[in-house]
């Protein structure tokens, strides 16, 4: 729990919202989505139970803001990875997949929250806006050489997200384990992106 001096400083500088999001993320990492309640967050942050209402009207709003923050963190990591990758759609998709898979396996509860919008159904605008930025990054990668593709850009983006998300979900649930492709010797995550790229008719 944060000490009184830390909390008072947060109040003084108007940063209580960030303190509450820090506490929410800590609870999410440790106990999953169900552990993030307004009361538990207030207790973790060391503030009165009524304090979160000054920034988040209810649990939905709190989880929506937390999901937006996580999407923004992913966007930063993806942009950093793309900055060091060749401009081809193949290398770009591999860079995105590597970030998403790595982040999800390192922070499984954060990743699960992003796709559980029922938890912030009444206040999802911030999370959707942040998620759209990530979607558009993938779209920009695939738009670079769209002329060679077999489907529209949006269909390609949805295909890419479906494949990466499906793989991550199976890994998180323990349905499949990390392995190398039996033919190419590449990691399974890398090999399935190659399958997608070839299916889309890209080089």
């Amino acid at each position: 729990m944060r000490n009184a001096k830390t909390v008072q400083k947060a109040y003084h500088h108007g940063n209580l919202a960030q303190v509450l999001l820090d506490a929410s993320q800590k609870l999410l990492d440790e106990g999953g989505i169900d552990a993030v309640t307004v009361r538990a967050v207030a207790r973790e942050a060391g503030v009165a139970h009524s304090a979160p209402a000054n920034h988040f009207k209810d649990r939905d709003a709190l989880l929506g803001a937390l999901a937006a923050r996580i999407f923004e963190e992913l966007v930063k990591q993806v942009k950093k990875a793309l900055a060091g990758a060749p401009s081809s759609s193949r290398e770009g998709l591999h860079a995105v997949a590597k970030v998403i898979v790595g982040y999800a396996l390192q922070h499984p509860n954060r990743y699960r929250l992003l796709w559980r919008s029922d938890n912030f159904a009444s206040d999802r605008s911030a999370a959707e806006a942040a998620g759209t930025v990530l979607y558009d990054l993938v779209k920009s990668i695939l738009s670079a050489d769209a002329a060679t593709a077999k489907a529209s850009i949006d269909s390609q983006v949805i295909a890419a997200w479906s494949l990466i998300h499906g793989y991550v979900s199976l890994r998180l649930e323990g349905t499949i384990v990390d392995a190398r492709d039996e033919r190419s010797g590449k990691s399974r995550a890398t090999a399935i992106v190659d399958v997608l790229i070839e299916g889309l008719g890209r080089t």
Side-chain angles (χ1 to χ4, degrees), residues 127-141:
E128 286 183 340
T132 298
V133 174
L134 194 55
Y135 180 95
D136 287 344
L137 278 174
V138 178
K139 192 171 183 176
S140 67
I141 292 169

PDB file of all heavy atoms in Angstrom, residues 127-141:
ATOM      1  N   ALA A 127     -10.784   2.831 -24.660  1.00  0.00           N
ATOM      2  CA  ALA A 127     -10.117   1.581 -25.019  1.00  0.00           C
ATOM      3  C   ALA A 127     -10.245   1.317 -26.519  1.00  0.00           C
ATOM      4  O   ALA A 127      -9.288   0.888 -27.171  1.00  0.00           O
ATOM      5  CB  ALA A 127     -10.706   0.425 -24.223  1.00  0.00           C
ATOM      6  N   GLU A 128     -11.424   1.577 -27.082  1.00  0.00           N
ATOM      7  CA  GLU A 128     -11.617   1.346 -28.513  1.00  0.00           C
ATOM      8  C   GLU A 128     -10.742   2.287 -29.340  1.00  0.00           C
ATOM      9  O   GLU A 128     -10.182   1.884 -30.358  1.00  0.00           O
ATOM     10  CB  GLU A 128     -13.093   1.530 -28.869  1.00  0.00           C
ATOM     11  CG  GLU A 128     -13.966   0.381 -28.389  1.00  0.00           C
ATOM     12  CD  GLU A 128     -15.408   0.531 -28.815  1.00  0.00           C
ATOM     13  OE1 GLU A 128     -15.819   1.670 -29.152  1.00  0.00           O
ATOM     14  OE2 GLU A 128     -16.130  -0.469 -28.807  1.00  0.00           O
ATOM     15  N   ALA A 129     -10.630   3.535 -28.900  1.00  0.00           N
ATOM     16  CA  ALA A 129      -9.794   4.500 -29.624  1.00  0.00           C
ATOM     17  C   ALA A 129      -8.337   4.065 -29.619  1.00  0.00           C
ATOM     18  O   ALA A 129      -7.642   4.121 -30.645  1.00  0.00           O
ATOM     19  CB  ALA A 129      -9.940   5.884 -29.003  1.00  0.00           C
ATOM     20  N   ALA A 130      -7.855   3.615 -28.461  1.00  0.00           N
ATOM     21  CA  ALA A 130      -6.469   3.158 -28.352  1.00  0.00           C
ATOM     22  C   ALA A 130      -6.255   1.886 -29.157  1.00  0.00           C
ATOM     23  O   ALA A 130      -5.207   1.707 -29.793  1.00  0.00           O
ATOM     24  CB  ALA A 130      -6.107   2.936 -26.885  1.00  0.00           C
ATOM     25  N   GLY A 131      -7.238   0.982 -29.143  1.00  0.00           N
ATOM     26  CA  GLY A 131      -7.134  -0.246 -29.921  1.00  0.00           C
ATOM     27  C   GLY A 131      -7.131   0.020 -31.413  1.00  0.00           C
ATOM     28  O   GLY A 131      -6.465  -0.682 -32.186  1.00  0.00           O
ATOM     29  N   THR A 132      -7.867   1.047 -31.832  1.00  0.00           N
ATOM     30  CA  THR A 132      -7.909   1.412 -33.250  1.00  0.00           C
ATOM     31  C   THR A 132      -6.543   1.870 -33.749  1.00  0.00           C
ATOM     32  O   THR A 132      -6.166   1.612 -34.901  1.00  0.00           O
ATOM     33  CB  THR A 132      -8.952   2.515 -33.487  1.00  0.00           C
ATOM     34  OG1 THR A 132     -10.250   2.011 -33.137  1.00  0.00           O
ATOM     35  CG2 THR A 132      -8.981   2.955 -34.945  1.00  0.00           C
ATOM     36  N   VAL A 133      -5.774   2.528 -32.896  1.00  0.00           N
ATOM     37  CA  VAL A 133      -4.421   2.951 -33.276  1.00  0.00           C
ATOM     38  C   VAL A 133      -3.573   1.727 -33.612  1.00  0.00           C
ATOM     39  O   VAL A 133      -2.833   1.711 -34.610  1.00  0.00           O
ATOM     40  CB  VAL A 133      -3.756   3.767 -32.150  1.00  0.00           C
ATOM     41  CG1 VAL A 133      -2.302   4.081 -32.495  1.00  0.00           C
ATOM     42  CG2 VAL A 133      -4.528   5.061 -31.904  1.00  0.00           C
ATOM     43  N   LEU A 134      -3.694   0.694 -32.807  1.00  0.00           N
ATOM     44  CA  LEU A 134      -2.940  -0.534 -33.053  1.00  0.00           C
ATOM     45  C   LEU A 134      -3.412  -1.200 -34.344  1.00  0.00           C
ATOM     46  O   LEU A 134      -2.600  -1.659 -35.159  1.00  0.00           O
ATOM     47  CB  LEU A 134      -3.114  -1.483 -31.862  1.00  0.00           C
ATOM     48  CG  LEU A 134      -2.163  -2.663 -31.754  1.00  0.00           C
ATOM     49  CD1 LEU A 134      -0.712  -2.218 -31.780  1.00  0.00           C
ATOM     50  CD2 LEU A 134      -2.454  -3.449 -30.481  1.00  0.00           C
ATOM     51  N   TYR A 135      -4.727  -1.238 -34.537  1.00  0.00           N
ATOM     52  CA  TYR A 135      -5.299  -1.799 -35.774  1.00  0.00           C
ATOM     53  C   TYR A 135      -4.759  -1.049 -36.991  1.00  0.00           C
ATOM     54  O   TYR A 135      -4.343  -1.657 -37.981  1.00  0.00           O
ATOM     55  CB  TYR A 135      -6.822  -1.679 -35.704  1.00  0.00           C
ATOM     56  CG  TYR A 135      -7.570  -2.222 -36.910  1.00  0.00           C
ATOM     57  CD1 TYR A 135      -8.076  -3.516 -36.908  1.00  0.00           C
ATOM     58  CD2 TYR A 135      -7.782  -1.438 -38.039  1.00  0.00           C
ATOM     59  CE1 TYR A 135      -8.772  -4.012 -38.009  1.00  0.00           C
ATOM     60  CE2 TYR A 135      -8.469  -1.919 -39.142  1.00  0.00           C
ATOM     61  CZ  TYR A 135      -8.966  -3.212 -39.111  1.00  0.00           C
ATOM     62  OH  TYR A 135      -9.652  -3.688 -40.214  1.00  0.00           O
ATOM     63  N   ASP A 136      -4.733   0.277 -36.892  1.00  0.00           N
ATOM     64  CA  ASP A 136      -4.285   1.094 -38.022  1.00  0.00           C
ATOM     65  C   ASP A 136      -2.796   0.918 -38.316  1.00  0.00           C
ATOM     66  O   ASP A 136      -2.360   1.075 -39.469  1.00  0.00           O
ATOM     67  CB  ASP A 136      -4.600   2.569 -37.770  1.00  0.00           C
ATOM     68  CG  ASP A 136      -6.089   2.878 -37.898  1.00  0.00           C
ATOM     69  OD1 ASP A 136      -6.819   2.048 -38.473  1.00  0.00           O
ATOM     70  OD2 ASP A 136      -6.512   3.945 -37.418  1.00  0.00           O
ATOM     71  N   LEU A 137      -2.009   0.607 -37.286  1.00  0.00           N
ATOM     72  CA  LEU A 137      -0.590   0.331 -37.522  1.00  0.00           C
ATOM     73  C   LEU A 137      -0.425  -0.907 -38.402  1.00  0.00           C
ATOM     74  O   LEU A 137       0.378  -0.911 -39.343  1.00  0.00           O
ATOM     75  CB  LEU A 137       0.135   0.119 -36.187  1.00  0.00           C
ATOM     76  CG  LEU A 137       0.577   1.358 -35.427  1.00  0.00           C
ATOM     77  CD1 LEU A 137       1.136   0.973 -34.070  1.00  0.00           C
ATOM     78  CD2 LEU A 137       1.613   2.144 -36.219  1.00  0.00           C
ATOM     79  N   VAL A 138      -1.190  -1.949 -38.092  1.00  0.00           N
ATOM     80  CA  VAL A 138      -1.138  -3.161 -38.916  1.00  0.00           C
ATOM     81  C   VAL A 138      -1.651  -2.849 -40.322  1.00  0.00           C
ATOM     82  O   VAL A 138      -1.101  -3.321 -41.324  1.00  0.00           O
ATOM     83  CB  VAL A 138      -1.959  -4.287 -38.267  1.00  0.00           C
ATOM     84  CG1 VAL A 138      -1.947  -5.539 -39.148  1.00  0.00           C
ATOM     85  CG2 VAL A 138      -1.415  -4.624 -36.886  1.00  0.00           C
ATOM     86  N   LYS A 139      -2.688  -2.040 -40.396  1.00  0.00           N
ATOM     87  CA  LYS A 139      -3.253  -1.663 -41.701  1.00  0.00           C
ATOM     88  C   LYS A 139      -2.221  -0.933 -42.549  1.00  0.00           C
ATOM     89  O   LYS A 139      -2.109  -1.163 -43.759  1.00  0.00           O
ATOM     90  CB  LYS A 139      -4.487  -0.790 -41.482  1.00  0.00           C
ATOM     91  CG  LYS A 139      -5.322  -0.563 -42.731  1.00  0.00           C
ATOM     92  CD  LYS A 139      -6.639   0.113 -42.377  1.00  0.00           C
ATOM     93  CE  LYS A 139      -7.519   0.269 -43.601  1.00  0.00           C
ATOM     94  NZ  LYS A 139      -8.855   0.837 -43.246  1.00  0.00           N
ATOM     95  N   SER A 140      -1.454  -0.047 -41.930  1.00  0.00           N
ATOM     96  CA  SER A 140      -0.449   0.705 -42.680  1.00  0.00           C
ATOM     97  C   SER A 140       0.654  -0.219 -43.202  1.00  0.00           C
ATOM     98  O   SER A 140       1.184  -0.006 -44.293  1.00  0.00           O
ATOM     99  CB  SER A 140       0.150   1.813 -41.809  1.00  0.00           C
ATOM    100  OG  SER A 140       0.914   1.273 -40.743  1.00  0.00           O
ATOM    101  N   ILE A 141       0.990  -1.239 -42.424  1.00  0.00           N
ATOM    102  CA  ILE A 141       1.998  -2.211 -42.858  1.00  0.00           C
ATOM    103  C   ILE A 141       1.519  -2.932 -44.114  1.00  0.00           C
ATOM    104  O   ILE A 141       2.246  -3.067 -45.103  1.00  0.00           O
ATOM    105  CB  ILE A 141       2.278  -3.237 -41.743  1.00  0.00           C
ATOM    106  CG1 ILE A 141       2.970  -2.570 -40.563  1.00  0.00           C
ATOM    107  CG2 ILE A 141       3.125  -4.397 -42.276  1.00  0.00           C
ATOM    108  CD1 ILE A 141       3.029  -3.454 -39.336  1.00  0.00           C
TER     109      ILE A 141
END
